[in-house]
Each structure stands twice: as structure tokens, then as C-alpha cells.
Amino acid sequence: MERADIERIFEAYHDKYKKTEGDRSSWSAVWTDMTPAGVLELNLTKCPRGTIFKVFVDKRKVAEVTGWDAYFETMDALAVKHPGLYDPDRLFEEMTSVI
């Protein structure tokens, strides 16, 4: 899946399912993907600091990065470190089905 499509889908998902972090200046949406290789959670937060991504593998935080460029770098590295866990084509097609 193309990078632009991933950004568009994840942004649309965030807009539809975001919840405030309490003070209404930070909004987050979480996607959980259960695979045979483990559980991947992606948290997209928009706040005054920018667009923040938190990545969890089996309930353990493995990354927190700012911006789309850092997200794609992190996910490329995660795909190598955890084979079979991150399949962007499947994950974002599923995300599309709920938005």
C-alpha cells in the first residue's frame, strides 16, 4: 500500500474514532491488530507537540515517534524485528472497512 494511502486512511480513522486525553488539546485513536505473530497496537495522537505515534507489541511500548516520516521508518524496522506482525496492506484495508 502506498504511503499516501496509509496516511489518508489512518487520518480518517483518527478523525472518526478519536478520544480526548482530558484537556481537549490532545486527541488519540488506537488500532489493535491481533496476528499469529503477536498483538500490535498503534496509537495516533494529535496534540500541541504534533502528530505522535506510540507503537506497542504485546502490550509493551516499543516506540514513540513524532511525524509521519518517523512513523514509516519505525514501522519498517518493526517489520524486520517482528516478522509477520506488521502487514500494512492487510492492516489498513481492515482499518478502511470501519471508517
Side-chain angles (χ1 to χ4, degrees):
M1 182 167 287
E2 296 293 320
R3 178 182 167 146
D5 293 331
I6 290 172
E7 289 182 33
R8 178 184 51 75
I9 293 165
F10 210 165
E11 292 278 352
Y13 177 81
H14 179 270
D15 289 344
K16 185 170 183 177
Y17 292 102
K18 67 187 177 199
K19 295 189 187 243
T20 185
E21 296 292 321
D23 64 0
R24 300 182 89 60
S25 67
S26 296
W27 297 84
S28 295
V30 178
W31 179 265
T32 302
D33 190 27
M34 293 182 210
T35 72
V39 178
L40 174 65
E41 292 177 61
L42 302 175
N43 178 314
L44 168 57
T45 300
K46 291 191 177 193
C47 63
R49 291 184 338 182
T51 301
I52 311 295
F53 296 92
K54 296 175 192 154
V55 181
F56 298 84
V57 174
D58 295 328
K59 300 291 182 187
R60 292 189 178 154
K61 187 184 209 179
V62 296
E64 181 171 335
V65 297
T66 303
W68 283 103
D69 291 335
Y71 168 80
F72 286 108
E73 289 174 22
T74 298
M75 297 313 289
D76 288 345
L78 183 114
V80 171
K81 188 173 182 178
H82 300 277
L85 184 64
Y86 178 64
D87 177 356
D89 292 331
R90 183 188 51 75
L91 187 149
F92 289 100
E93 284 176 17
E94 288 178 8
M95 195 180 284
T96 300
S97 72
V98 298
I99 53 176

